[in-house]
Amino acid sequence: MKHHTQPCGGFGVAWVSSVLVVSHRFWRNFSKSTSRCCYYKRSIDPTKTCSIGWKYYSCPRPQSLRSFGSLYSTVSSLRCKMLHDAVQPQKVVENGHRFPRNIEFRSDKLGNFGGELMVVALEESQKQSEESLAIPSQLLDQLDKQQQDAVQSFIKETRFQGKLGSSQYQRIFLPGSSIRYIALYGLGKMESSNTEKIDVIRKLGGFVGQVAQQYKSCTSAGIWTSMGSSWKDEQVQALLEEVMLSLYKDDRFKKSPEETEAPNLKEVCLLDDDIQVQSSSVATRAKNVVSGIIMTKELVSAPANVITPTLLSQVAVQLAKQYGMEYKILDKEQCQQMNMGCYLGVAQGSSEPPQFIHLKYSPAQGPVKKKIAFIGKAITFDSGGYNLKAGAGSMIELMKFDMGGCAAVLGAAKVIGELKPPNVQVHFIAAACENMISGNAYHPGDILQASNGKTVEVINTDAEGRLTLADALVYAEQIDTMDCIIDVATLTGAIIIALGNDYAGYWANQEALAQRIETASKRCGEKLWRMPLVNEYLESLKSKIADLRNVGGRAGGSIAAALFLREFVKQSPWAHIDIAGTVWNEKQSAATGFGVRTLVEICESFSHEQ
């Protein structure tokens, strides 16, 4: 094209144009990458626990000079990463915040109890005609006359019948007695199954903590139940765990958390000296498990502008260093070298770099007889991608909990690090990233290739978790020959429709592993329900242009998701646990910590095998 020029302040327009053309050609050949002219990036004030802001960056450059945008984007991403690295994970996941670590547990006769709060837990009467319960004879024998009168009058006044979950409490005055508060709790008609009993016992423990928080001067609580001395270790542990969990309050993101009074409860006493607590390891084990559950709750409850893939990996590294585990954090380039196309396809839309997490626990002494892997879905925020979560019921504001599977796996890692089970080696794996919308995000219709070579046609970008888990499953099998691989994920809304919010669904490709999971869940009281791997449903995942589609039809969505994951496991015993319904308590607007107990029980079941 011929340019007609006029002088302009000593510099010809033609000369300027030539410079621009040459610059354009140079930079076009230098880089084919593209970048947005204007975009936002997160910034974190490293001096504060939760000071998250957004900074607007603009680059007033010709759109054609693409490498400037690429270079600027790289520098900005590096700056963002450095800021995240400056945040100490222990300030975000404090774990000890308001957690009563020094609380003591013991069992004793009621006559020796010198605390302020007495909790009486009674089963429901078989006689429907009674207006209120009579005090069981075994309790009457342990109370003095004024205590008998106080308890009996309280039961009659409130017409307490012991129905499940019913409760009453009040302040009393007993001359010469340390007891200042009395509480009643209904155990209902105690079921014979251990799972049902543990569920009731946990509710009792939560009630004890609630009353203790109500009366700030209460430092010691005594619990008498009509169950007598027929307590199993796991039932005692469940009670102690729930007392501690009910005392915990997450106020990390309040302006002045120090103004909130911490509970003063220092002792819990089971009022039956035949229950051995003080001299056993049950109380210590309960504290260790609670520590892992609280960490899981804190990870899930923290907002997505705090728990990023980078910070999640830092928490993992901190755990590894604390408990002497080996660790490996793979960055984007290392994942590319391992051909993790499905995982990186999900991650590519975010300015947050992906972080592939791998911790390894090995016993300090003795042989390794079993090797297992726990894999957690780690989407720190799920927008749905171009299949955007939108409208009422989309729950996009809660998509910080889409890394609940990873949080459960890391919580289990903490507990296992404390318990140090022998004979078993445990791998903790998570492919952490965000699922976001941008010019770089993957599209509906894209074809991604997993690290085992299988190709996946992306039908829905909101079915991203199974894509990241696919590469994580392949990775786990490549590490070593595993005795089992279990993935935990907030994977489908369909499981909520099927099982509600109290039960998680699980699938297993081996009967022995399915039985192991069921036994573990019953022992710890977490509710799981086995779902079928229906091979006929695999037909819905077939693609005409790739090996698989990432979603099937509307019917049987959670089953199709499990079948999809099974395609990335060659020969290992494998199970998938979908915790989408159980990860979050909507009434309390808080994370539940679900999954930690079951994973720990599974690990220990392998540890105890000869």
Side-chain angles (χ1 to χ4, degrees), residues 281-356:
S281 60
V282 175
T284 301
R285 179 183 172 86
K287 288 182 180 181
N288 291 335
V289 171
V290 167
S291 181
I293 292 172
I294 288 178
M295 192 190 82
T296 297
K297 288 163 69 74
E298 289 188 333
L299 285 171
V300 176
S301 294
N305 60 344
V306 173
I307 300 297
T308 63
T310 298
L311 197 135
L312 198 58
S313 68
Q314 290 175 338
V315 171
V317 170
Q318 179 182 295
L319 278 176
K321 291 179 178 179
Q322 183 177 355
Y323 297 109
M325 300 180 190
E326 298 178 52
Y327 69 90
K328 184 186 297 182
I329 307 296
L330 304 180
D331 60 19
K332 177 181 176 181
E333 288 70 25
Q334 291 169 307
C335 292
Q336 285 174 334
Q337 292 171 10
M338 300 184 72
N339 300 315
M340 295 184 181
C342 286
Y343 166 44
L344 294 177
V346 175
Q348 71 189 35
S350 174
S351 61
E352 292 291 337
Q355 301 283 289
F356 192 96

Side-chain angles (χ1 to χ4, degrees), residues 6 27 43 247 257 269 285 289 312 430 468 487 489 556 558 586 602:
Q6 294 292 333
W27 288 113
S43 65
L247 295 175
C269 180
R285 179 183 172 86
V289 171
L312 198 58
T468 63
D487 72 77
S558 60
E586 189 173 350
I602 291 170

Side-chain angles (χ1 to χ4, degrees), residues 123-257:
E123 295 179 51
E124 187 175 355
S125 173
Q126 301 296 327
K127 299 178 182 179
Q128 300 296 326
S129 59
E130 293 184 352
E131 287 190 2
S132 61
L133 286 174
I135 302 179
S137 57
Q138 58 268 39
L139 176 58
L140 277 173
D141 294 340
Q142 300 182 54
L143 297 172
D144 60 30
K145 183 63 170 64
Q146 68 170 355
Q147 290 172 342
Q148 289 179 12
D149 292 342
V151 174
Q152 189 64 70
S153 62
F154 188 31
I155 291 175
K156 286 183 177 180
E157 286 172 7
T158 58
R159 295 186 177 183
F160 186 76
Q161 295 180 326
K163 292 183 179 180
L164 180 59
S166 61
S167 62
Q168 298 286 342
Y169 55 91
Q170 71 174 14
R171 186 183 181 96
I172 62 172
F173 177 70
L174 297 175
S177 174
S178 63
I179 298 174
R180 292 290 177 266
Y181 316 101
I182 185 169
L184 304 174
Y185 188 81
L187 300 174
K189 297 175 181 177
M190 291 289 282
E191 300 291 337
S192 57
S193 71
N194 188 53
T195 305
E196 295 296 331
K197 281 186 177 179
I198 286 181
D199 191 44
V200 174
I201 288 168
R202 288 198 187 282
K203 291 175 181 176
L204 169 61
F207 172 71
V208 173
Q210 174 191 337
V211 177
Q213 284 185 315
Q214 182 73 24
Y215 298 118
K216 297 297 183 183
S217 61
C218 176
T219 61
S220 177
I223 305 170
W224 187 94
T225 76
S226 54
M227 290 174 59
S229 302
S230 61
W231 288 73
K232 297 179 181 178
D233 283 353
E234 60 264 27
Q235 293 170 347
V236 176
Q237 180 181 328
L239 177 70
L240 304 183
E241 285 176 9
E242 211 59 38
V243 171
M244 288 186 284
L245 287 170
S246 65
L247 295 175
Y248 171 78
K249 184 177 181 180
D250 185 1
D251 54 10
R252 291 169 294 165
F253 304 107
K254 298 278 189 180
K255 181 180 179 182
S256 303

